[in-house]
């Protein structure tokens, strides 16, 4: 791999052992991928605070420097981790102390995470603790190379923002933060960002639910490739785009999509395909729409709902406002819990705006930092849950062994109020 003088100096120890280990990891990783060189990044989103048994064991024996070295740098040496070289943030992790009396999350994991968080903060890692760093001020610019983890965040960054990232991992982001470098391959190269499939909606796509169903379908069709989405599309909101991307990255491994006229690298259908011919479209019909809805609901059997989950990916302020309006003056069913996930920074605004009070008055909970899938936690005794997120409906039944219902945000709030699932596809 071609290294710059600066890369070589880092690898040879100019900036200390941890940076040398980070550069060694990036060179091994890049060579494994066939990358010819590294590129510079100034925005890294990864994880070093999520509590795991392996991390606990290493930290107990060798401290947090050792845990970062082994898990984030693939290095067994005794090294000191310095401050990050470039702006780096922590994505979602487990629940924190303020969720202890609300969720049945293990208090020991909360303590472990708090220790890891103190270590990471000290190294300059911003603890955003969300899968949507772009909602809370961590917004790269179009064309910028970045190193992000979290599939729903990566597809949003590539597609909606026009920044360039592959789906990185714990180790590559751990090394990127310390060096400001990442292998230049995959989505970093312009020629790999053009569309591969044309998917045409023959039914109107103009609601949060429909953007999720459309993404769930298109992910099935394109798998790891790059859909260009056209047809009867309304103008999506930011929440719609989050839901679309998360659904595309659930049934497929989609890391970039194009919406001609909306997303930055697709001023037109032709531009979205670059030098390639525009292929014949795959139609998304009314029957496909129903099929996706039924697929997401075939994990539900019992209409009594114990738990409703909203905010996957983490909810925006607009979504919180909508949920608060639906809950205003209502009270949750006594046997049903409602958790809404949002970034901690937006929770502060929701508190100030009165959304939190309305949600709490109704009996719901506004939670931060994590989600049931990340923390593998739901209210005790949950057998049946409902959600407006295609991603969460897809994964949570397998993770927690529970039934799932999928529908609109209003259907879900109604289920929380009545304790009964009545959602239907209109
Ligand atoms: Fe975020 Fe959890 Fe969904 S991390 S994207 S809320 S599965």
């Amino acid at each position: 791999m071609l290294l710059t003088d600066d890369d070589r100096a880092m690898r040879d120890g100019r900036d200390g052992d941890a940076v040398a280990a980070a550069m060694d990891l990036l060179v091994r990783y890049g060579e494994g991928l066939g990358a010819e060189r590294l590129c510079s990044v100034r925005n890294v989103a990864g994880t070093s605070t999520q509590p795991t048994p392996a991390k606990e064991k290493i930290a107990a024996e060798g401290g947090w420097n050792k845990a970062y070295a082994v898990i984030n740098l693939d290095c067994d040496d005794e090294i000191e981790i310095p401050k990050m070289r470039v702006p780096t943030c922590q994505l979602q992790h487990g629940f924190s102390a303020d969720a202890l009396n609300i969720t049945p999350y293990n208090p020991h994991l909360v303590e472990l995470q708090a220790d890891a968080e103190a270590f990471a903060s000290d190294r300059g890692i911003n603890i955003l603790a969300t899968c949507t760093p772009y909602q809370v001020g961590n917004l790269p610019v179009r064309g910028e190379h970045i190193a992000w983890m979290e599939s729903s965040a990566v597809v949003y960054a590539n597609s909606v923002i026009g920044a360039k990232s592959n789906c990185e991992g714990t180790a590559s982001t751990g090394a990127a933060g310390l060096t400001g470098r990442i292998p230049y391959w995959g989505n970093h190269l312009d020629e790999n960002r053009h569309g591969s499939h044309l998917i045409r909606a023959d039914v109107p796509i103009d609601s949060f639910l429909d953007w999720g169903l459309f993404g769930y379908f298109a992910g099935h069709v394109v798998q790891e490739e790059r859909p260009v989405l056209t047809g009867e599309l309304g103008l999506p909101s930011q929440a719609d785009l989050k839901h679309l991307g998360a659904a595309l990255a659930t049934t497929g491994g989609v890391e970039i999509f194009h919406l001609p006229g909306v997303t930055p690298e697709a001023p037109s259908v032709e531009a979205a395909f670059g030098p390639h011919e525009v292929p014949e479209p795959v139609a998304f019909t009314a029957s496909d729409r129903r099929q996706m809805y039924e697929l997401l609901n075939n994990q539900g059997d019992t209409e009594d709902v114990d738990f409703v989950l909203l905010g996957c990916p983490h909810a925006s302020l607009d979504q919180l406002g909508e949920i608060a309006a639906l809950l205003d003056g209502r009270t949750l069913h006594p046997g049903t819990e409602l958790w809404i996930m949002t970034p901690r920074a937006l929770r502060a605004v929701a508190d100030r705006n009165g959304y939190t009070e309305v949600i709490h008055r109704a009996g719901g909970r506004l939670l931060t930092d994590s989600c049931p899938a990340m923390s593998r936690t739901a209210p005790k005794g949950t057998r049946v849950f409902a959600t407006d997120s295609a991603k969460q409906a897809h994964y949570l039944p397998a993770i927690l062994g529970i039934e799932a219902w999928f529908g609109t945000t209003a259907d879900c709030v109604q289920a929380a109020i009545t304790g009964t699932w009545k959602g239907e596809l209109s």
Side-chain angles (χ1 to χ4, degrees):
M1 185 189 289
L2 197 64
L3 297 181
T4 63
D5 289 347
D6 195 41
D7 293 338
R8 269 196 294 276
M10 283 194 267
R11 184 198 59 192
D12 295 343
R14 179 196 67 195
D15 300 334
D17 293 340
V19 173
M23 185 50 73
D24 175 64
L25 181 144
L26 291 171
V27 170
R28 284 186 282 134
Y29 172 49
E31 284 176 349
L33 294 164
E36 288 175 5
R37 64 179 177 89
L38 304 172
C39 60
S40 293
V41 291
R42 56 180 183 186
N43 187 321
V44 178
T47 184
S48 60
T49 57
Q50 169 79 18
T52 62
K55 190 177 290 178
E56 180 176 17
K57 187 167 181 290
I58 301 165
E61 286 164 7
W64 289 105
N65 279 302
K66 183 78 178 177
Y68 194 101
V70 173
I71 292 172
N72 294 94
L73 298 177
D74 185 33
C75 169
D76 287 329
D77 298 343
E78 300 298 325
I79 53 179
E80 279 275 317
I81 306 300
K83 283 216 184 298
M84 297 296 122
R85 186 184 199 197
V86 294
T88 298
C89 73
Q90 167 65 39
L91 292 162
Q92 74 276 8
H93 50 189
F95 284 114
S96 300
D98 53 0
L100 270 181
N101 295 322
I102 302 168
T103 74
Y105 191 59
N106 184 342
H108 176 64
L109 295 179
V110 169
E111 263 177 46
L112 193 63
Q113 180 167 289
D115 284 353
E117 203 176 300
F119 177 85
S121 301
D122 200 42
R123 270 72 193 166
I125 296 174
N126 298 316
I127 311 296
L128 298 184
T130 175
C131 48
T132 60
Y134 51 86
Q135 291 198 115
V136 290
N138 187 23
L139 201 58
V141 298
R142 181 180 171 187
E144 179 176 356
H145 296 284
I146 61 175
W148 281 19
M149 287 174 69
E150 168 48 39
S151 61
S152 71
V154 169
V155 69
Y156 189 98
N158 278 314
S159 313
V160 180
I161 301 170
K164 299 175 178 179
S165 185
N166 294 305
C167 249
E168 296 296 345
T170 305
S172 59
T173 51
L178 285 170
T179 58
R181 304 285 278 166
I182 201 75
Y184 181 69
W185 72 287
N187 297 324
H188 291 287
L189 280 68
D190 289 344
E191 62 263 35
N192 294 336
R193 298 173 65 85
H194 299 128
S196 62
H197 294 66
L198 183 62
I199 315 270
R200 186 192 65 217
D202 290 350
V203 281
I205 305 294
D206 57 7
S207 69
F208 185 78
L209 175 114
D210 273 307
W211 282 105
L213 291 175
F214 192 32
Y216 204 68
F217 171 83
H220 271 297
V221 174
V222 309
Q223 291 297 301
E224 311 287 309
E225 297 201 71
R226 301 166 303 283
V228 177
L229 305 169
T230 61
E232 295 183 43
L233 309 181
L235 186 64
S237 66
Q238 188 208 36
D240 296 333
L241 292 167
K242 273 189 307 177
H243 196 197
L244 169 69
L248 282 163
T250 295
T251 42
V254 174
E255 294 176 2
I256 181 168
F257 64 84
H258 300 289
L259 280 175
V262 175
T263 55
E265 295 177 32
S268 65
V269 171
E270 290 71 23
F273 286 97
H276 310 291
E277 244 180 60
V278 176
E280 281 301 308
V282 175
F284 176 65
T285 64
S287 106
D288 295 320
R289 175 176 180 259
R290 175 153 295 280
Q291 203 190 342
M292 292 304 108
Y293 183 81
E294 284 170 3
L295 199 58
L296 283 162
N297 276 301
N298 78 0
Q299 304 168 96
D301 206 16
T302 317
E303 286 184 359
D304 295 338
V305 174
D306 313 302
F307 172 42
V308 175
L309 173 77
L310 303 174
C312 168
H314 283 181
S316 65
L317 277 176
D318 290 347
Q319 290 174 286
L320 295 181
E322 181 193 349
I323 296 162
L326 289 164
L327 284 169
D328 200 9
R330 317 294 296 274
T331 307
L332 296 197
H333 182 263
T336 309
E337 287 209 36
L338 168 64
W339 292 1
I340 304 152
M341 309 307 311
T342 198
R344 187 170 285 268
L346 296 189
R347 160 74 195 248
V349 186
D351 290 354
R352 196 166 182 175
N353 259 40
Y355 299 147
T356 312
E357 195 190 332
V358 173
I359 292 165
H360 284 183
R361 210 186 304 130
R365 298 297 191 170
L366 189 55
L367 294 167
T368 63
D369 299 355
S370 191
C371 75
M374 273 309 290
S375 292
R376 298 173 178 266
T377 307
K380 274 208 179 87
T382 296
R383 289 168 303 110
V384 183
F385 98 111
T387 183
D388 62 354
S389 161
K391 176 175 179 176
Q392 199 80 213
H394 182 95
Y395 286 121
L396 207 58
I399 292 174
L400 295 181
I402 58 179
E403 292 182 31
W405 293 109
F406 167 77
T408 64
T409 309
D411 287 340
C412 292
V413 170
Q414 196 56 21
I417 290 167
T418 62
T420 308
W421 182 251
K422 291 284 180 214
E424 275 184 18
L425 189 62
S426 57

